[in-house]
Each structure stands twice: as C-alpha cells, then as structure tokens.
Amino acid sequence: MVDDDALNRWFCREVLPLEAMLMRFIRRNWRIEADVIDLRQDIYERVLMGAQKELPHKPRQYVFTTARHHLINRAKRAQIVSFDLVADLESIVIDIDNDASQRQLEARDELRRAQAGIDNLPERCGEVVRLRKVQGFSTREVAEQLGVGKDTVEKQMTLGMRALADFMLGGSGKVVRTVRPKKAEEASQS
C-alpha cells in the first residue's frame, strides 16, 4: 500500500504533466464536449485508486489505458436503454424500408462509376482528385506531395471535377482545357 503523501507526489510529478495530452485524447474520442472535464476527473480518480496498491512503472501508459477503458465503459453505459423506453418503442408500428437494398445497390454502382471516372482522368489530374476528394488532403498538402504549385493543384482539381461530373452524367469524361490566346495575339488584335 502506498502512503498518501507518496501517492500525491507521484500524481503531481507523473500524471498532472500529462493533462494536456489527456484532454486532447478525451476530446478526440468523446463526442460531447460538456462531458470532457467530468471524464478527466473520473479518470484521475481511477488512476489514483489503482495506484494506491502500487505505483505504476510506466505512468503514461497507465493513465492512457485507464482513460481508454473508462471511455469504453461510459460509451457502453450510454447505450443501455431503459425497459420502459423499449416497451414504448415496441408499441410503435415500424414501416420497414423495402427499398433499402435497392438503394444500396444503386449507391455501389455510382461508387464504381465514380472510380471508373477518376481512373479515366489523366494521371496527374486523377491523382489530384484522389488526394483531395478521397484522401481529404488540403491543397497545400497535395502540392507538397506531388511537388507542384498550389495553383497547379487547383487547376487540375477544377479540370478533374468537371470531367468527372461529365462522366457521371453519361458524357465522355474527357478533360477539356480552355485555350487562351497568347499575349502577342491579344496585342495584335487590339
């Protein structure tokens, strides 16, 4: 058994410095912002109770394992439904959606068609669309990864999305580049 003074010193020295990381962990893994402070306090309480027997050799892993388990237990408890609510729900007539499987099949077909449309794009254009729309990268991240400028990424994205929309609507899905007159030709036309 660890005496209270040693436990408090250990907590202040090892656990409290982890608070910022712990708060980020809780926020990342819990949807309700109003619960975050209470969850932190519950985790601290569990950490202290567990460390009363023996101080953990790896405090960081101990704190985050305790936090993970506590969040899982809270989520499980939140899913428990009272019997009264279940009885009320059983009295409601539920209209079964017979078209769900049909909609699912149509959605899969559209996804396959979108993939075919992206595959139909020129290599760089297709890669830009994939990174931006499928992978969720920012314009800057795509530019860095491909070694091109942000303007190039934006231009390729515009061309790719237009071609993809055309393909999805039954067109050829070819990239159409608008040709601008050169400055010399513009000057001679003036």
Side-chain angles (χ1 to χ4, degrees):
M1 196 76 168
V2 178
D3 68 41
D4 288 343
D5 290 336
L7 184 62
N8 289 336
R9 283 193 306 273
W10 172 82
F11 186 82
C12 292
R13 183 182 67 247
E14 300 291 338
V15 177
L16 284 181
L18 301 172
E19 185 168 324
M21 273 194 303
L22 179 61
M23 293 295 284
R24 282 193 300 272
F25 177 82
I26 295 168
R27 282 190 175 99
R28 206 174 34 243
N29 293 291
W30 196 258
R31 291 184 181 129
I32 305 166
E33 179 66 28
D35 293 347
V36 171
I37 300 297
D38 291 337
L39 288 168
R40 181 195 63 195
Q41 292 309 114
D42 293 343
I43 292 165
Y44 282 164
E45 181 181 354
R46 285 173 175 17
V47 165
L48 281 169
M49 287 180 1
Q52 283 177 338
K53 296 175 188 169
E54 180 184 358
L55 295 178
H57 297 291
K58 296 181 178 180
R60 181 178 176 187
Q61 285 95 343
Y62 179 69
V63 168
F64 284 95
T65 299
T66 302
R68 181 176 168 269
H69 289 171
H70 182 62
L71 292 178
I72 289 169
N73 289 337
R74 275 289 291 268
K76 285 180 181 177
R77 274 184 275 154
Q79 292 177 356
I80 296 174
V81 180
S82 73
F83 289 113
D84 295 335
L85 181 58
V86 172
D88 290 343
L89 289 176
E90 287 176 352
S91 66
I92 299 172
V93 177
I94 299 174
D95 181 25
I96 298 173
D97 188 1
N98 294 327
D99 294 329
S101 59
Q102 181 63 31
R103 284 198 307 270
Q104 190 175 21
L105 288 173
E106 290 171 1
R108 285 184 184 168
D109 286 342
E110 286 182 36
L111 185 58
R112 282 189 200 100
R113 187 155 174 75
Q115 182 61 50
I118 292 172
D119 292 343
N120 194 35
L121 296 172
E123 186 177 339
R124 179 182 285 168
C125 193
E127 189 63 21
V128 167
V129 170
R130 233 181 247 99
L131 290 172
R132 287 280 290 128
K133 294 298 181 183
V134 178
Q135 300 290 329
F137 288 17
S138 69
T139 302
R140 181 184 51 80
E141 291 169 330
V142 173
E144 288 173 2
Q145 186 163 345
L146 297 179
V148 297
K150 288 193 297 186
D151 290 343
T152 302
V153 171
E154 289 172 1
K155 185 180 287 184
Q156 293 291 313
M157 187 67 197
T158 302
L159 292 172
M161 290 307 293
R162 284 182 183 157
L164 184 57
D166 177 56
F167 185 81
M168 295 298 289
L169 294 172
S172 66
K174 298 292 180 195
V175 172
V176 178
R177 301 179 195 278
T178 54
V179 180
R180 294 183 188 167
K182 294 182 180 175
K183 290 188 178 189
E185 293 174 5
E186 288 177 3
S188 66
Q189 291 177 357
S190 303

